[in-house]
Amino acid sequence: MVYDRYISGVIIHGVGYQMNRYFQRKRNIDSVDEGASNNVDVDKGLSNDVEFDVTKLPIDPGLRILILDYNANIRDEVRRAYMLMGPCQPQDHNFPKRQFGVTIRRFNPSWFKEFGSWLEYSVEKDAAYCLYCYLFRTSSGKQGGGESFVGEGFIYWKDKKMLHTHVGLHDSAHNQACIKCEVLTNQEQHIQSVFYKQSEQARNAYVTRLNASIDCVRVLLRQRHSFRGHDESEDSLNPGNFLVQYQFLAAHNEVINAVTLGNAPHNCKLTSPDVQKDIVNACAIETINVIIKDVGDSLYSILVDESCDMSMKEQITTALSLKAAIDKVFSRYNLSMSRLRGQGYDGASNMQGKFNGLKTLILNESPCAFYIQCFAHQLQLALVTIAKKNIHITNFFGVVGNVINTVGASSKRCDLLREKQLDFIVEALEKCEILSGQGLNQETTLQRSGDTRWSSHYNSLVSLLAMFSSVVDVLAIIIEDESCSCDQRSDATNLLELIQRFDFVFNLQLMRSVLGISNELSKALQRKDQDIVNAMQLVRLCKRRLQIMRDEGWDSFLEEVCSFCQKHYIHVPNMDDMFVRLAIRGRPQRNSPEITNLHHYRVDLFYSVIDLQLQELNDRFSEVNTELLLCVACLCPPQDSFSSFDKKNLIRLAEIYPLDFSAVDCIVLSD
């Protein structure tokens, strides 16, 4: 199991002290759904082996089950989790209005400041609740509104005095619940601390073991390494990164070695997978708290990505579900959508589907939250992804990947490929088909493409194009090699047939040309010394070159494809003949309109792929965000005495954000 959570330079202070509460007897809630059903395991039994996930507790007070419905063994832990989260106070919510006689009233968010320690608001039920009374009030009674602040919720917005009445005098039910909350947060007064009170020596040993585990976890998190090993027994030669790190730390520190591993109590080693996971969760909570504290009331941007399961399928699939997830995070950490000024998304996802819908939903709530391409993401991955919306291109990249995997499956085949390429270069030099000189005709091999920022589909296609003859020769050798299995020879036969078709060569040249136009832009966007003005100029240049290729480049492109086919003895179809669609095996060919080869290759492939690229670039670099980036470039660091300073662009930058700069502010800024 990999705990792949990255701690980016954040020092976790006080985690050791705060983690003491996490290592009591294990608790369990199978499922806490935030929907109306609240499917919670509230087993009334007295089993001590009860666990639960605090992250799945309902945040909205209107969706919570009664505290007494939780298992008695986990009740205090649930209370403590809600105390750590604090009251649910959605600051930026559009509170609905209610009719009270002839007057219309709604919840007043200023009450959060006056009653901030306990007042909660339910978005689902449009009602107010008391956190203290929910956690510790056990009897209904009539004092302070009875069940209004615990069960059905308080909705009488017309009468604010009811809030003061609910608080009551010093001995009221509300204040008694408040005292119990304070006692719960004070671990020294907790019954478990009293019951398990140990000697100072045992306490110090426990803290030493805990800090050692935390140090190991922090190192692995920073390096993004896996924790677990396949065999974590004491005799294992490789018990996993966590235990190896732990053993190394103990071997080089006598104080730690004296109280850990074999010298620690068997039931308190603090190295189990559950303890590791608890420490990871604590680090995540502390890190998020530091980030939220740093953000404060400042303006901020969001970068949204989706997680995948083990089958590499993304978990969230619609714009509405993504928006709901963002709203949930904002509500949990009391972030206001009105302070949002930028949004960005996973670089490999196209902006014409769900992310485009999400972008619109966010802009509807925060008009100044402009979309900006994340420069850390490789643009080429997005352009390849959008090109694969054409089924022919998807099949093409599948064949390319299989060819590279087959030819480069072993060092023997790689050596054979290099030998064939050397023979090809020598023959080409003798025929004066290529030039010789320093740095030319270097030994190379096929480059693999991948979904990381360091790989390049463009370089992969270029290498395949340059070594096409050698690849054909190697595949032919594999077919004749009797030492290869029948499956390997069959795969090589199919691949050799596919790459010697006009369709494959056409798609190879097309994607090489299209990605070649955007290659410089993709690399420029990822440079550390980013020049925004130059990057935006490259964006415009890339769009213009693609448009010129679409309008004027068909004839020259087709001539280049045909020339390559003739050189490698590949049949070129007559463009005026009718295009023959491949029938699905076992099914009759569908009645699709008859088209010529020219229409298929020019319209269905050439125009289609280029149009997809242009549309994606226009979505990612619209006129609005391009103008925004050019205006921001005027605020570059003071190099060459602010040579990029431009008054007109700076004023325009202020005008783009009307929520932050009024018309008067713009006049003052101009002066």
Side-chain angles (χ1 to χ4, degrees), residues 195-238:
F195 188 79
Y196 291 104
K197 190 172 183 180
Q198 300 174 345
S199 65
E200 188 67 23
Q201 182 179 1
R203 184 184 300 274
N204 292 338
Y206 174 84
V207 173
T208 300
R209 287 192 295 273
L210 178 59
N211 285 331
S213 296
I214 292 174
D215 289 340
C216 293
V217 167
R218 288 170 60 188
V219 171
L220 295 177
L221 288 176
R222 282 202 180 96
Q223 299 303 118
R224 306 185 71 178
H225 288 170
S226 60
F227 280 45
R228 303 290 302 280
H230 292 291
D231 181 6
E232 297 185 347
S233 63
E234 294 183 359
D235 300 331
S236 175
L237 296 178
N238 185 13

Side-chain angles (χ1 to χ4, degrees), residues 71-81 136 184 190-191:
N71 187 295
N73 292 320
I74 65 171
R75 202 170 293 157
D76 278 355
E77 199 62 26
V78 173
R79 288 168 172 153
R80 190 175 294 111
F136 280 103
L184 178 66
H190 196 274
I191 186 63

Side-chain angles (χ1 to χ4, degrees), residues 10 30 181 194 244 288 320 445 512 571 596 666:
V10 179
D30 290 342
C181 289
V194 176
V244 169
I288 293 175
L320 291 176
T445 186
R512 189 267 305 173
H571 173 69
T596 63
C666 292

Side-chain angles (χ1 to χ4, degrees), residues 387 390 392-393 396-397 458 461 465 502-517 546 549-550 553-554 557-558 560-561 600-611 613:
N390 187 305
H392 302 285
I393 301 301
F396 162 73
F397 276 107
Y458 172 71
L461 299 182
L465 201 60
F502 179 82
D503 293 60
F504 181 84
V505 176
F506 185 92
N507 292 330
L508 177 61
Q509 294 283 7
L510 176 60
M511 292 310 303
R512 189 267 305 173
S513 300
V514 169
L515 295 181
I517 291 176
L546 284 172
M549 180 180 177
R550 186 190 190 281
W554 166 253
F557 172 76
L558 182 60
E560 182 180 11
V561 174
H600 170 70
Y601 291 110
R602 185 173 187 173
V603 178
D604 295 346
L605 284 175
F606 188 77
Y607 287 166
S608 174
V609 170
I610 296 178
D611 288 344
Q613 302 292 298

Side-chain angles (χ1 to χ4, degrees), residues 209 213 234 246 260-272:
R209 287 192 295 273
S213 296
E234 294 183 359
Y246 199 86
T260 58
L261 299 175
N263 298 323
H266 290 291
N267 62 344
C268 192
K269 291 181 179 292
L270 300 184
T271 58
S272 69

Side-chain angles (χ1 to χ4, degrees), residues 595-627:
I595 59 174
T596 63
N597 288 327
L598 179 63
H599 183 278
H600 170 70
Y601 291 110
R602 185 173 187 173
V603 178
D604 295 346
L605 284 175
F606 188 77
Y607 287 166
S608 174
V609 170
I610 296 178
D611 288 344
L612 287 172
Q613 302 292 298
L614 285 171
Q615 185 176 352
E616 182 72 7
L617 288 174
N618 287 330
D619 287 337
R620 288 182 178 271
F621 302 99
S622 63
E623 293 184 5
V624 175
N625 59 24
T626 299
E627 182 184 23

Side-chain angles (χ1 to χ4, degrees), residues 240-289:
N241 291 333
F242 176 83
L243 291 178
V244 169
Q245 183 82 16
Y246 199 86
Q247 293 168 357
F248 178 85
L249 188 62
H252 291 76
N253 189 309
E254 295 181 358
V255 176
I256 295 177
N257 185 56
V259 296
T260 58
L261 299 175
N263 298 323
H266 290 291
N267 62 344
C268 192
K269 291 181 179 292
L270 300 184
T271 58
S272 69
D274 288 336
V275 172
Q276 297 174 31
K277 184 181 293 187
D278 284 338
I279 297 176
V280 170
N281 291 332
C283 289
I285 293 173
E286 292 292 333
T287 304
I288 293 175
N289 289 338

Side-chain angles (χ1 to χ4, degrees), residues 433-459:
E433 294 179 353
I434 58 176
L435 299 176
S436 62
Q438 184 175 0
L440 299 178
N441 307 316
Q442 296 292 316
E443 184 180 88
T444 184
T445 186
L446 292 178
Q447 296 191 21
R448 298 178 184 271
S449 60
D451 294 334
T452 65
R453 59 176 296 181
W454 297 279
S455 62
S456 171
H457 287 77
Y458 172 71
N459 291 337

